[in-house]
Amino acid sequence: MAANTYGYIRVSTAEQNEDRQLTAMRALPIPERNLIVEKHSGKDFQRPQYQKLLRRLKPEDLLYIKSIDRLGRNYGEILEQWRILTKEKQIDIVVLDMPLLDTRRGKDLMGTFLSDIVLQVLSFVAENERSNIRQRQAEGIAAAKARGVKFGRPHKPLPGNFNQIHKEWRDKKITLREAAGACAMPVSSFYAKAVALEKDG
């Protein structure tokens, strides 16, 4: 049976647009039915379309991806999937944004060695950049908090009768459940607000 050519396209969420990847793939000799589009996070490889693609691939098939991070986000997992695809499935892979990552070329030992080095470097760079982004986000949040920026839902103001009801409850004139009901609050919320009020006072 003749070898097949596939294109794997992944965006992280349903809202992201896959047009850029699709345009690149449609310029190649890939049958439309073999263009696999996945709208799923790259944090792992438990993705329905990717798993379906794995089942379809057979030795000597050719797989195109736009960039190495479309394959995945995790350094170790990218390398493991590359090994599965090229060694176990025995297919060729072409990474469009990095011509050096074309397993059809350099089938000799030196070619394989160079391809493996490039793959490891790119995988490391991609993961390192994501770590840097997360660090910058954390630093940005910390700086915003230091400026007094509040995150999360704003606190609801206490009911107007809270102080009076709180006093009656503490004086054991009413039960906790009655106090919460009088303030139209869940019991847990009334108790937490009461404790916070006493601590501040």
Side-chain angles (χ1 to χ4, degrees), residues 50-99:
Y50 182 77
Q51 293 301 321
K52 188 189 296 184
L53 172 64
L54 277 183
R55 290 192 292 272
R56 288 173 65 180
L57 291 170
K58 62 185 188 304
E60 298 185 16
D61 280 349
L62 174 60
L63 175 64
Y64 286 97
I65 56 175
K66 184 77 171 70
S67 57
I68 197 66
D69 63 348
R70 296 305 86 202
L71 195 57
R73 298 190 317 197
N74 179 281
Y75 173 60
E77 289 236 5
I78 290 174
L79 295 177
E80 174 61 11
Q81 290 302 311
W82 190 275
R83 185 193 65 77
I84 289 171
L85 292 167
T86 59
K87 302 294 192 296
E88 292 184 13
K89 291 291 184 178
Q90 298 178 35
I91 69 159
D92 279 314
I93 307 177
V94 176
V95 180
L96 297 178
D97 288 353
M98 179 54 62

Side-chain angles (χ1 to χ4, degrees), residues 130-144:
R130 277 185 294 277
S131 295
N132 289 340
I133 289 170
R134 284 194 296 270
Q135 183 177 340
R136 288 195 294 270
Q137 287 172 337
E139 289 170 354
I141 290 169

Side-chain angles (χ1 to χ4, degrees), residues 3-16:
N4 286 310
T5 302
Y6 295 91
Y8 179 68
I9 295 153
R10 183 183 66 78
V11 289
S12 297
T13 66
E15 290 74 32
Q16 288 185 343

